[in-house]
Amino acid sequence: MKKFPQNFLWGAATSAHQVEGNNIYNDWWQSEQSHRLKEASGQACRHYELYEHDFEIARELNHNCHRFSIEWSRVEPEEGKFDPCAIEHYKQVIANLKKQKIEPIVTLLHFTNPAWFSKKGGWTKSKLNKYFLRFVARVVNEYAGQVKFWITINEPIVYSSHSFLLGAWPPQEHSLIKTIKVTYNLAKAHNTSYRLIHKLYRDKSLNPPMISIAANLQAFEICRPTLKNKLALFLRHKLYNLHFIDKIISQKTLDYIGVNYYGRNLIDVEKWGINHLLVDTCQHNHCPLPKNSLGWDIYPQGLYKLMIALKKYNLPILITENGICTEDDELRWLYIKEHLEALHQAIGEGVNIFGYIYWSLIDNFEWDKGFGPRFGLVRVDYNDQKRTIKASARKFAQVAKSGEIE
Ligand code: BGC
């Protein structure tokens, strides 16, 4: 038996645009209407209406925490006009979780922005940070007493690279300069909102909250020891994995490290050039590993290695996302089990990990990949919105209940 620490957090995550449905005021929705993306989110999982039912399932599955995001474009659909109904909605969401003894872990920005904010230039413009701070102040003032864990920004590097370098996500650009600017502005957004949230809690004489980002970390490995590959390995680990964390830690604006981990990125660089060094992956099926339905390498040992690499920061770690899209539910359980084993090993070696959040509670809209990939512990039938608990979810529920794995 492998036992996890007392009071370990066990749960699953979602994000607003991926599950709520009808997020008509954000930039993703707008891009979806212009047919520049594979599929439109539409009704998604109708979680905006069905959240109580979904949280009952989470409770039934013994989750003691739940990560979700507040959709800025619902709270402030027009510049400066806050919607009291949306503010009340998220208050109810939090109250419902608390009632079921599920700790809310609240993300403030998960890839989508109000359309009006993007129209003004969005994250490419440093001076627009004041709008984000105004939104943060508004929601934190409303929910402070009920929320201990905040995540300011989900995967800042994934957002800046997918939206401004790779051209995959709105606004679908290919500009290295903008990518750097956006990354810089997101670091500023995190630092300033971190300070603001702490101040608001102090003003209300509340216990200090725990604030982080959710950083996407990848297990970079090389398939052969060439000079190009070794250099790419060094650059990618530094730029994708650690740069943002280092930048904000130097400002003392992290209370814990939120880690999103999915798998291995196998590097093989054939030609010199910064683009190749930053993105090329092995195309020859060297060192093959089992894969999820999107073809990503499954590599639990990578999570262990990253945990050991983060030890130097001496901060508690929360796994804010880890999961697999697959139609093979036995593989899902194996994935969860092996990643928990990797975490258990790291905990045994002194890494302070205080929770594990599976991505995702329910199947959902996987951004530019549409509804095909199924990450959920709970199956969603998109025709009638029926939820069906998968066998892997029941096994994970056992772990959440006992706090140990066999
Ligand atoms: C994101 C989620 C996404 C998941 C699977 C993470 O990068 O935070 O929004 O659905 O990975 O791709």
Side-chain angles (χ1 to χ4, degrees):
M1 280 295 179
K2 299 190 168 86
K3 211 163 173 41
F4 283 82
Q6 279 230 315
N7 303 323
F8 203 75
L9 292 175
W10 300 101
T14 61
S15 91
H17 192 72
Q18 294 179 272
V19 295
E20 284 182 348
N22 287 322
N23 269 318
I24 60 175
Y25 297 112
N26 74 32
D27 51 0
W28 261 86
W29 183 275
Q30 282 212 330
S31 281
E32 290 163 13
Q33 307 317 304
S34 63
H35 304 289
R36 287 164 67 203
L37 293 160
K38 183 175 175 184
E39 252 181 289
S41 55
Q43 302 273 308
C45 313
R46 288 190 42 214
H47 177 74
Y48 199 78
E49 293 109 71
L50 301 177
Y51 71 92
E52 292 186 26
H53 176 55
D54 291 338
F55 294 165
E56 266 165 35
I57 296 176
R59 183 62 264 164
E60 188 185 330
L61 294 174
N62 304 321
H63 294 187
N64 61 11
C65 76
H66 178 72
R67 179 181 167 214
F68 71 97
S69 74
I70 294 181
E71 176 65 30
W72 178 8
S73 68
R74 281 191 188 268
V75 171
E76 193 182 359
E78 280 178 57
E79 182 187 336
K81 291 206 176 122
F82 288 86
D83 179 353
C85 296
I87 292 175
E88 181 57 27
H89 169 84
Y90 290 111
K91 187 174 271 174
Q92 293 305 326
V93 166
I94 293 167
N96 190 280
L97 289 170
K98 299 282 279 195
K99 195 174 81 194
Q100 317 220 42
K101 304 218 168 359
I102 300 178
E103 184 72 44
I105 297 178
V106 186
T107 309
L108 291 162
L109 195 74
H110 197 123
F111 298 155
T112 54
N113 304 293
W116 61 262
F117 176 79
S118 294
K119 207 164 156 214
K120 283 176 178 290
W123 293 106
T124 62
K125 299 248 163 65
S126 154
K127 63 173 197 243
L128 302 188
N129 188 42
K130 63 177 184 214
Y131 295 110
F132 181 62
L133 291 180
R134 184 173 64 180
F135 156 70
V136 171
R138 187 65 191 252
V139 300
V140 172
N141 263 320
E142 294 284 343
Y143 314 133
Q146 305 303 315
V147 178
K148 176 172 175 198
F149 295 97
W150 294 96
I151 292 170
T152 55
I153 300 167
N154 183 65
E155 300 187 347
I157 303 285
V158 172
Y159 172 75
S160 59
S161 59
H162 280 60
S163 299
F164 294 93
L165 191 64
L166 306 174
W169 294 357
Q172 296 182 301
E173 298 197 24
H174 296 273
S175 156
L176 183 59
I177 307 257
K178 282 194 185 170
T179 307
I180 294 168
K181 264 195 195 165
V182 168
T183 307
Y184 174 87
N185 290 336
L186 289 174
K188 177 175 153 184
H190 168 77
N191 290 333
T192 49
S193 52
Y194 174 96
R195 292 189 193 108
L196 173 66
I197 301 170
H198 270 288
K199 180 179 179 307
L200 293 171
Y201 273 65
R202 274 196 307 275
D203 291 350
K204 292 173 188 291
S205 307
L206 292 167
N207 287 333
M210 296 280 282
I211 308 172
S212 181
I213 57 164
N216 178 282
L217 301 190
Q218 297 181 49
F220 292 108
E221 305 259 322
I222 54 178
C223 64
R224 12 177 209 172
T226 63
L227 182 61
K228 288 190 212 84
N229 282 353
K230 287 188 197 162
L231 181 59
L233 174 63
F234 171 79
L235 282 175
R236 285 187 215 183
H237 183 57
K238 210 162 176 50
L239 291 177
Y240 291 126
N241 285 346
L242 300 185
H243 175 66
F244 201 93
I245 295 178
D246 284 335
K247 221 170 145 57
I248 59 182
I249 282 188
S250 72
Q251 298 295 309
K252 300 197 170 35
T253 59
L254 266 195
D255 298 322
Y256 65 97
I257 308 179
V259 173
N260 294 357
Y261 176 79
Y262 286 87
R264 181 183 72 170
N265 177 307
L266 189 62
I267 300 171
D268 198 14
V269 181
E270 304 225 326
K271 285 194 207 131
W272 283 107
I274 188 72
N275 289 358
H276 297 290
L277 287 169
L278 291 182
V279 299
D280 285 5
T281 51
C282 173
Q283 303 298 323
H284 306 290
N285 204 22
H286 292 150
C287 332
L289 287 174
K291 297 187 190 327
N292 73 11
S293 67
L294 284 169
W296 306 351
D297 287 343
I298 299 172
Y299 188 45
Q301 207 50 19
L303 179 59
Y304 163 77
K305 289 187 196 170
L306 284 164
M307 292 298 104
I308 299 297
L310 295 183
K311 207 173 164 184
K312 64 174 183 185
Y313 295 116
N314 210 8
L315 281 170
I317 297 172
L318 174 64
I319 305 304
T320 39
E321 281 181 35
N322 174 243
I324 177 171
C325 53
T326 177
E327 296 290 341
D328 176 352
D329 196 51
E330 277 178 27
L331 183 61
R332 185 183 328 281
W333 169 242
L334 191 65
Y335 180 98
I336 296 174
K337 185 167 176 282
E338 289 184 347
H339 284 82
L340 289 177
E341 282 165 357
L343 290 177
H344 188 268
Q345 191 186 351
I347 293 170
E349 291 172 33
V351 186
N352 178 3
I353 303 166
F354 66 97
Y356 174 87
I357 301 177
Y358 179 81
W359 180 270
S360 172
L361 178 63
I362 52 181
D363 290 336
N364 60 64
F365 176 68
E366 177 57 22
W367 306 112
D368 55 325
K369 309 288 187 304
F371 286 101
R374 288 184 179 268
F375 280 92
L377 290 172
V378 177
R379 185 173 178 87
V380 174
D381 182 330
Y382 296 111
N383 294 316
D384 58 9
Q385 294 295 342
K386 189 167 176 293
R387 275 50 170 163
T388 309
I389 297 175
K390 301 179 189 175
S392 57
R394 300 273 184 210
K395 292 188 179 142
F396 181 53
Q398 261 322 101
V399 179
K401 187 171 179 188
S402 64
E404 55 192 32
I405 41 171
E406 275 177 32

